[in-house]
Amino acid sequence: MDKEQKNIDDFIGKAMQSLPVQKTSADFTDLIMSKVVVEKTSTATTYKTLISKPVWALIFVIVGGLCVYLSFFETAENSSWLPNTNYNVLTSPFKNIHLNSSLVYGIAALALMTLIQVPIYKNYYKNKFQV
């Protein structure tokens, strides 16, 4: 098998020597890159948000309006949505837990940094992958 492969390599080498060397055109790279750019703009990977910006704006307006309405127009007759609910059952396991103020500040800082970093990373990867 090795001798047969060597014979094939020798035959191909001799055949290649007899062929003239061809030079590419001056705009060969430009032609290749233009085809690569055309193939890169595929519609198959187009990013579309699940919830559009106008829908988010509508959600924020509705929630904000509801908060304003409930803060200004609350009736004195029924000040709670669930007036007969006993919340002691839910809060009793947590009565003996006391958090250190440093821990609370750390959790708040972690939440704040997460809220800052998410848009930064989103923008970075959006620009990196040209989504």
Side-chain angles (χ1 to χ4, degrees):
M1 186 77 162
D2 292 330
K3 186 174 182 180
E4 183 180 333
Q5 184 67 33
K6 187 176 184 319
N7 289 338
I8 291 172
D9 287 341
D10 290 340
F11 175 74
I12 291 174
K14 288 177 187 175
M16 294 295 285
Q17 287 177 353
S18 65
L19 293 174
V21 177
Q22 294 180 351
K23 295 202 177 210
T24 59
S25 63
D27 60 345
F28 175 76
T29 305
D30 294 333
L31 291 172
I32 295 297
M33 291 309 290
S34 68
K35 292 187 182 204
V36 168
V37 169
V38 168
E39 290 178 7
K40 188 176 182 181
T41 57
S42 167
T43 59
T45 58
T46 303
Y47 174 76
K48 294 181 181 177
T49 58
L50 293 176
I51 301 174
S52 63
K53 288 184 180 182
V55 174
W56 277 116
L58 181 66
I59 291 171
F60 285 126
V61 167
I62 289 172
V63 169
L66 186 63
C67 290
V68 168
Y69 175 77
L70 291 176
S71 64
F72 286 118
F73 301 109
E74 184 176 343
T75 61
E77 300 165 357
N78 189 6
S79 63
S80 176
W81 288 353
L82 301 172
N84 297 330
T85 306
N86 184 5
Y87 294 110
N88 291 335
V89 176
L90 297 175
T91 59
S92 61
F94 303 109
K95 284 184 179 179
N96 294 329
I97 295 176
H98 300 286
L99 297 177
N100 189 354
S101 62
S102 298
L103 179 63
V104 173
Y105 293 145
I107 292 171
L110 180 67
L112 179 67
M113 290 301 149
T114 302
L115 290 175
I116 292 171
Q117 288 178 4
V118 166
I120 292 171
Y121 279 123
K122 182 179 177 185
N123 189 25
Y124 171 76
Y125 283 112
K126 181 180 179 183
N127 292 336
K128 182 176 180 181
F129 295 120
Q130 298 293 326
V131 176

